[in-house]
């Protein structure tokens, strides 16, 4: 019964591997790395490829190998290659023997190196060294330093660990103890991105392990101590591991197994970044079914994790080879185990940029309309287009006193006629924003250029209503690899304001709709992922404010509530590692409270006002769910909740208003939105207005002593052309007699 169970277990494990893993891993190409003539001998079959690494942008590849030059001494070297196309091993050029690093540590050159690791800043190289066959004790980790980052020709020996066979460095962790420490050899090494953790792959005849060590001084091997609460017992998953590599974010480990006919790569998922205290073995892939690999040793990945590299030595031709593989999704070789895109900072930043642009488009459209309303209120005395003028003049004081009632009524009529006034305006805005690097997202620079045109007029109750159309162009640069998001926006906004009390307290309301059209370009290791995405918007704002006047100053406290909803459509990327994205809802809610001040510095000819504002903004709805699957592996659906923007924000602005005698007006505003802890946005608003000069003066004049005469005059000015119509009657008792009638056309220069 036990035998049957074992057979069934083997079938259960092997069938998924043979049926599905081929789709997750595909060999692209291989290249020979048996170059040079270091040590005075031509490369031969005694070479052992034991390490593969790249610099940060993939333009350099480093190969570590050892060669037996004599019976007594074993020399180890690191060769450097330049890649004309990043991470494309077919474009390599060997830099020459003079550019290699000779791993001579000065005490004994006899060591057997495994799996080198280069620090993120390119200044330190680590590799494992195990005991040789003659029983000499060389179970250590070595560090070499580079005086020039990623230039191995500048290498020099720095330090090494003490004897790793000591129980102090092997016993007590959750990876289980090893009774015979001399038979337990390091064959792989990795270091965390911050240099505070060291991981050693231990091979033995009993059980293979991954041990985790703490470095009390980052990158300093002499300060290492075993972490007892961590470590992985590899058990039956590997037989002779000779290479170990972490994913970029430290959440996965990959083991290259040299033993047997399978030549497997094992994938392990960790519970935290560079934390082996909790883990899951995802599975193994038999590389012999995918490639002609014979002697599998080192393993490496490109920065995005969409390419895997394996070293192969002792081929039939005697050449050492590096094999390049494409992966369906980053840092994954097992079907159904693709990681979320949030494991890649550029990927996450691209999604966040889409959310940010959607929210900012609503904010900018709303702010433009509110800026217009604020301008009108600051300069409301300049908004009357119709001027009614009645003059009653009598020598008799009693009769003159009666004319005041008539003048009062005409003043009221003057205000009522303001509802006919129409004002046309436009605004251009430039917005530049930056959101800094976070733990899951690359930095983003978002720029916006927009133009708005609008018209408004007074309402029956001395309020104002208007309509504005805004066209914007948004450009977001993500990370440093060339990822970019271009979005065109179109927004139609209705705005209004109404006095609440005494023409000093106002209620502003806004409602708008919009459309977005985006082009997405995500660059991963020089490969482009492209897509198009559209969206629709609905938004509204309510603001209450008061005006407190004192001399030439006006204080304006205000409260405001914003709400918006954007629906971003589904899309599919094209390219390696592409994703299929579902429809996405982006909601925003903001509460604001602020204080503005206006100073009137007007002259007789010009209206000149300067103003400023300080505002606190609470962004109370910052979450959006991003749902997707990998196109080449749809077995797992992802639903990522992303939080964008800061909860607490401070807005500040300064500006000026200028109204000129020639019917033109201008205002200029500089605004800074500081997202506390995340980033900022700078805005420049430049608005131009034109008041069509179509004033009509109605003048009715009565003058009397003994005889009462009258004059009725209509004067209309159209863009500096004045038309006068006048009727004169010397005696109102004879209305049928017109003493004078005239029409005049005058152009004012």
């Amino acid at each position: 019964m036990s035998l049957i169970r074992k057979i069934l277990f083997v079938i259960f494990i092997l069938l998924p591997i043979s049926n599905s893993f081929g789709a997750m891993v595909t060999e692209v190409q291989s290249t020979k790395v048996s170059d040079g003539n270091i040590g005075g001998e031509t490369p031969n079959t005694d070479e052992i490829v034991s390490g593969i690494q790249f610099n940060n942008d993939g333009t350099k590849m480093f190969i570590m190998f050892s060669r037996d030059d004599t019976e007594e001494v074993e020399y180890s070297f690191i060769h450097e290659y330049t890649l004309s196309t990043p991470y494309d091993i077919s474009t390599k050029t060997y830099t020459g023997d003079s550019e290699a690093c000779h791993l001579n540590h000065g005490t004994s050159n006899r060591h057997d190196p495994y799996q080198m690791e280069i620090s993120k800043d390119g200044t330190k190289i680590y590799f494992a060294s195990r005991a040789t066959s003659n029983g000499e004790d060389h179970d250590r980790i070595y560090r070499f330093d580079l005086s020039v980052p990623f230039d191995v020709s500048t290498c020099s020996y720095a330090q090494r660990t003490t004897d790793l066979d000591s129980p102090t460095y092997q016993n007590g962790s959750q990876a289980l103890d090893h009774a015979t420490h001399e038979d337990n050899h390091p064959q792989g090494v990795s270091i965390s991105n911050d240099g505070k953790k060291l991981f050693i792959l231990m091979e033995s005849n009993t059980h293979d392990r991954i041990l985790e060590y703490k470095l009390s001084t980052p990158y300093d091997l002499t300060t290492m101590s075993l972490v007892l609460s961590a470590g992985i017992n590899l058990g039956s998953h590997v037989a002779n591991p000779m290479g170990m590599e972490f994913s970029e974010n430290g959440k996965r480990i990959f083991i290259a197994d040299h033993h047997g006919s399978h030549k497997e790569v094992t994938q392990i998922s960790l519970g935290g970044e560079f934390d082996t205290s909790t883990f899951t073995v995802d599975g193994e892939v038999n590389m012999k079914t995918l490639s002609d690999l014979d002697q599998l040793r080192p393993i490496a990945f490109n920065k995005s994790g969409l390419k895997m590299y394996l070293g192969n030595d002792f081929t039939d031709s005697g050449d050492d080879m590096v094999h390049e593989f494409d992966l369906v999704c980053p840092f994954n070789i097992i079907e159904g185990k693709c990681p979320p895109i949030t494991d890649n900072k550029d990927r996450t930043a691209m999604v966040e940029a889409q959310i940010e642009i959607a929210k900012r488009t609503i904010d900018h459209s709303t702010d433009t309309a509110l800026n217009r309303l604020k301008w009108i209120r600051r300069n409301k005395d300049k908004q009357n287009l119709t001027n009614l003028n009645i003059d009653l003049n009598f020598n008799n004081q009693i009769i003159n006193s009666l004319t005041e009632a008539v003048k009062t009524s005409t003043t009221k009529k003057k205000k009522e006629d303001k509802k006919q006034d129409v004002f046309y305006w436009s605004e251009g805005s430039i917005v530049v924003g930056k959101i800094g690097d976070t733990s899951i997202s690359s930095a983003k620079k978002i720029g916006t250029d927009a133009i708005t045109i609008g018209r408004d007029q007074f309402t029956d109750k001395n309020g104002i209503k208007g309509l504005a159309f805004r066209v914007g162009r948004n450009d977001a640069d993500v990370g440093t690899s060339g990822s970019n998001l271009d979005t065109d926006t179109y927004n139609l906004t209705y705005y209004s304001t109404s006095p609440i009390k005494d023409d000093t307290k106002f209620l502003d309301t806004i409602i708008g709709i919009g459309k977005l059209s985006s082009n997405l370009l995500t660059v991963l290791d020089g490969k482009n992922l492209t897509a198009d995405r559209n969206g629709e918007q609905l938004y509204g704002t309510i603001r209450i404010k008061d005006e407190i006047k004192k001399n030439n100053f006006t204080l304006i406290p205000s409260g405001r509530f914003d709400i918006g909803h954007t629906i971003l459509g589904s899309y599919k990327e094209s390219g390696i590692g592409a994703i299929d994205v579902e429809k996405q809802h982006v909601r925003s809610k903001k509460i604001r409270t602020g204080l503005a001040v206006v100073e009137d510095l007007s002259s007789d000819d010009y209206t000149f006002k300067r103003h400023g504002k300080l505002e606190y903004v609470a962004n109370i709805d910052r979450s959006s769910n991003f749902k997707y699957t990998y196109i080449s592996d749809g077995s797992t659906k992802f639903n990522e909740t992303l939080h964008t923007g800061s909860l607490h924000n401070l807005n500040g602005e300064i500006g000026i208003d200028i109204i000129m005698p020639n019917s033109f007006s201008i205002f200029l505003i500089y605004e800074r939105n500081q997202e506390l802890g995340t980033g900022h946005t700078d805005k420049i608003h430049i608005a131009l207005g034109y008041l069509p000069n179509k004033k009509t003066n109605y003048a009715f004049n009565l003058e009397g002593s003994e005889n009462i005469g009258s004059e009725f005059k209509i004067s209309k000015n159209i863009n500096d052309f004045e038309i006068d119509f006048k009727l004169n009657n010397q005696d109102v008792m004879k209305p049928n007699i017109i003493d004078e009638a005239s029409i005049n056309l005058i152009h004012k220069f």
Side-chain angles (χ1 to χ4, degrees):
M1 191 68 175
S2 177
L3 179 61
I4 295 175
R5 288 178 178 175
K6 290 181 180 179
I7 294 173
L8 291 175
F9 176 78
V10 171
I11 294 175
F12 177 77
I13 295 296
L14 293 182
L15 281 180
I17 293 175
S18 62
N19 291 337
S20 61
F21 286 145
M24 304 297 295
V25 184
T26 304
E27 184 172 16
V28 178
Q29 58 190 348
S30 61
T31 186
K32 184 181 73 171
V33 291
S34 300
D35 297 291
N37 188 26
I38 299 179
E41 294 186 5
T42 304
N44 54 59
T45 57
D46 289 333
E47 289 179 339
I48 300 175
V49 178
S50 55
I52 306 171
Q53 286 280 279
F54 298 87
N55 66 343
N56 291 333
D57 62 5
T59 58
K60 287 186 177 183
M61 178 176 66
F62 308 96
I63 304 296
M64 182 175 73
F65 66 91
S66 60
R67 179 191 305 152
D68 288 328
D69 291 324
T70 69
E71 295 182 357
E72 300 295 333
V73 181
E74 184 178 55
Y75 292 92
S76 301
F77 299 88
I78 299 176
H79 285 188
E80 180 177 315
Y81 297 82
T82 58
L83 304 180
S84 57
T85 301
Y87 297 108
D88 185 347
I89 62 176
S90 68
T91 67
K92 69 175 179 47
T93 300
Y94 180 53
T95 59
D97 293 350
S98 61
E99 298 297 315
C101 170
H102 182 195
L103 299 176
N104 184 353
H105 50 74
T107 56
S108 171
N109 290 333
R110 195 173 183 87
H111 52 203
D112 195 0
Y114 290 83
Q115 188 66 40
M116 70 171 167
E117 178 95 344
I118 302 179
S119 62
K120 293 301 179 183
D121 62 0
T123 63
K124 301 173 182 63
I125 299 176
Y126 300 85
F127 64 89
S129 178
R130 60 165 291 167
T132 58
S133 58
N134 65 0
E136 293 183 9
D137 181 15
H138 293 290
D139 286 341
R140 304 176 187 269
I141 305 298
Y142 287 83
R143 190 188 99 186
F144 279 67
D145 290 348
L146 307 180
S147 58
V148 178
F150 295 108
D151 183 353
V152 297
S153 67
T154 66
C155 73
S156 61
Y157 168 72
Q159 58 182 202
R160 62 180 181 174
T161 64
T162 58
D163 178 15
L164 294 178
D165 289 336
S166 168
T168 303
Y169 296 104
Q170 295 202 26
N171 286 355
S173 76
Q174 67 177 28
L176 302 182
D177 297 342
H178 198 279
T180 307
H181 307 295
E182 292 78 9
D183 295 331
N184 196 33
H185 306 297
Q187 295 190 165
V189 62
S190 287
I191 194 165
S192 61
N193 295 335
D194 59 6
K196 295 180 178 181
K197 289 185 177 182
L198 186 78
F199 303 86
I200 300 178
L201 177 64
M202 291 289 189
E203 181 271 337
S204 75
N205 295 327
T206 305
H207 54 273
D208 304 309
R209 302 174 297 162
I210 298 175
L211 299 179
E212 180 178 323
Y213 299 86
K214 176 184 176 182
L215 302 181
S216 57
T217 301
Y219 303 104
D220 188 347
L221 297 175
T222 64
T223 66
M224 62 181 284
S225 59
L226 183 65
V227 179
L228 302 182
S229 60
I232 299 174
N233 179 15
L234 296 173
S236 60
H237 297 285
V238 298
N240 186 16
M242 288 195 175
M244 174 176 63
E245 187 76 350
F246 278 75
S247 62
E248 183 73 12
N249 63 4
K251 292 183 178 181
R252 283 185 172 173
I253 303 176
F254 298 85
I255 309 295
D257 195 348
H258 179 75
H259 181 76
S261 61
H262 289 174
K263 310 299 179 185
E264 293 177 339
V265 175
T266 300
Q267 175 176 305
I268 302 173
S269 293
L270 305 180
E273 299 179 3
F274 295 101
D275 182 4
T276 61
S277 61
T278 58
F279 64 92
T280 301
V281 179
D282 297 328
E284 302 88 28
V285 175
N286 184 353
M287 303 306 302
K288 286 290 290 183
T289 63
L290 307 175
S291 173
D292 61 351
L293 279 164
D294 184 52
Q295 299 290 324
L296 175 60
R297 289 181 182 268
I299 182 171
F301 292 84
N302 66 350
K303 190 174 182 178
S304 70
L306 290 172
K307 286 187 176 295
M308 180 174 67
Y309 305 86
L310 298 175
N312 184 29
D313 66 271
F314 296 133
T315 62
D316 294 339
S317 62
D319 294 320
D320 299 293
M321 308 292 292
V322 173
H323 296 252
E324 177 183 328
F325 299 83
D326 279 345
L327 307 184
V328 166
C329 53
F331 295 105
N332 178 67
I333 59 176
I334 308 297
E335 185 180 23
K337 297 294 183 178
C338 284
I341 63 168
T342 50
D343 282 1
N344 184 288
K345 300 182 70 172
D346 281 4
R347 285 289 238 169
T348 306
M350 283 294 294
V351 179
E352 291 182 346
Q354 298 176 56
I355 299 172
E356 283 289 337
I357 288 177
K359 291 185 176 183
R360 292 187 182 192
T361 297
I362 292 176
D363 288 344
H364 298 167
S365 300
T366 301
D367 288 345
T368 297
L370 290 177
N371 285 339
R372 170 60 186 162
L373 291 177
K374 289 188 289 185
W375 187 92
I376 292 176
R377 289 302 178 194
R378 289 193 299 267
N379 305 280
K380 55 183 178 290
D381 58 322
K382 302 294 183 179
Q383 298 303 299
N384 184 32
L385 305 187
T386 302
N387 185 6
L388 178 63
N389 181 19
I390 295 181
D391 188 16
L392 304 176
N393 187 14
F394 292 94
N395 292 330
N396 190 308
Q397 296 298 318
I398 297 177
I399 297 177
N400 265 338
S401 64
L402 296 175
T403 65
E404 295 299 322
V406 178
K407 291 181 179 180
T408 300
S409 67
T410 59
T411 302
K412 184 181 294 183
K413 175 65 175 171
K414 178 179 176 179
K415 290 184 178 181
E416 293 174 354
D417 285 346
K418 288 174 72 176
K419 66 181 181 179
Q420 303 298 324
D421 299 350
V422 177
F423 198 98
Y424 301 94
W425 60 278
S426 66
E427 179 185 303
S429 61
I430 300 173
V431 184
V432 180
K434 181 178 181 180
I435 302 174
D437 185 87
T438 69
S439 60
I440 64 169
S441 176
S442 301
K444 298 175 285 294
K445 295 180 180 179
I446 303 178
T448 302
D449 300 318
I451 183 72
T452 304
I453 57 175
R455 69 181 297 276
D456 44 54
Q457 65 183 110
F458 284 87
T459 62
D460 292 336
K461 298 181 179 180
N462 201 27
I464 301 164
K465 63 180 180 182
L467 202 63
F469 179 69
R470 179 181 184 272
V471 179
R473 176 74 172 178
N474 302 268
D475 182 77
D477 294 323
V478 172
T480 58
S481 301
S483 297
N484 180 269
L485 172 66
D486 291 326
T487 303
D488 294 325
T489 59
Y490 310 90
N491 293 81
L492 184 65
T493 305
Y494 170 82
Y495 57 94
S496 68
T497 183
S498 302
I500 300 175
K501 183 181 179 182
D502 301 330
D503 205 32
T504 62
K505 297 180 175 62
F506 303 96
L507 176 66
D508 298 336
T509 58
I510 286 178
I511 186 170
I513 58 175
K515 291 187 68 69
L516 301 89
S517 178
S518 300
N519 300 118
L520 288 74
L521 172 63
T522 303
V523 181
L524 301 177
D525 302 322
K527 300 296 190 298
N528 295 343
L529 296 171
T530 58
D532 297 325
R533 192 178 204 186
N534 298 320
E536 298 176 344
Q537 296 184 313
L538 178 66
Y539 50 93
T541 291
I542 297 177
R543 181 178 67 177
I544 299 176
K545 65 177 186 176
D546 192 10
E547 295 182 355
I548 305 170
K549 297 183 179 180
K550 188 174 182 178
N551 298 327
N552 292 335
F553 291 90
T554 303
L555 296 177
I556 308 173
S558 64
R560 173 177 161 186
F561 176 70
D562 303 319
I563 188 170
H565 188 187
T566 302
I567 300 176
L568 298 175
S570 60
Y571 69 92
K572 289 184 179 181
E573 293 179 333
S574 61
I576 299 175
I579 57 176
D580 184 357
V581 180
E582 297 182 15
K583 182 186 298 183
Q584 182 181 3
H585 295 265
V586 179
R587 299 176 178 86
S588 61
K589 296 185 184 73
K590 294 181 179 180
I591 298 176
R592 306 169 185 251
T593 180
L595 178 66
V597 60
V598 180
E599 183 182 14
D600 193 344
L601 301 172
S602 303
S603 65
D604 293 337
D605 297 325
Y606 290 86
T607 296
F608 184 88
K609 296 180 180 180
R610 59 186 180 185
H611 46 88
K613 181 189 72 173
L614 184 62
E615 182 181 56
Y616 167 76
V617 184
N619 184 7
I620 58 178
D621 192 348
R622 302 181 296 131
S623 301
S624 180
N625 289 343
F626 188 72
K627 301 178 181 180
Y628 63 96
T629 59
Y630 284 92
I631 293 177
S632 298
D633 183 21
S635 57
T636 303
K637 291 187 176 182
F638 295 88
N639 186 356
E640 303 292 338
T641 301
L642 297 176
H643 305 281
T644 58
S646 175
L647 174 60
H648 304 287
N649 305 263
L650 288 178
N651 282 349
E653 78 174 40
I654 55 175
I656 58 172
D657 296 349
I658 302 175
I659 301 179
M660 295 167 281
N662 60 0
S663 304
F664 288 95
S665 65
I666 182 173
F667 75 73
L668 175 66
I669 295 176
Y670 167 74
E671 181 180 356
R672 161 65 69 98
N673 177 39
Q674 189 68 50
E675 299 180 3
L676 302 184
T678 58
H680 67 270
T681 301
D682 294 312
K683 302 179 186 178
I684 297 177
H685 303 268
I686 303 175
L688 298 175
Y690 176 62
L691 178 63
N693 194 357
K694 298 179 181 179
K695 290 184 180 180
T696 302
N697 292 295
Y698 302 90
F700 182 65
N701 186 29
L702 287 176
E703 294 183 354
S705 54
E706 295 180 358
N707 295 323
I708 300 175
S710 68
E711 182 184 80
F712 179 70
K713 181 180 179 181
I714 299 176
S715 179
K716 191 173 186 68
N717 186 299
I718 303 177
N719 295 337
D720 294 330
F721 284 91
E722 188 170 304
I723 302 175
D724 290 339
F725 174 71
K726 183 168 64 176
L727 295 175
N728 190 359
N729 185 353
Q730 299 289 337
D731 190 350
V732 297
M733 303 303 295
K734 301 177 180 179
N736 59 330
I737 298 176
I738 303 297
D739 297 293
E740 182 184 0
S742 64
I743 299 176
N744 300 302
L745 177 62
I746 303 172
H747 180 54
K748 296 182 178 181
F749 297 93

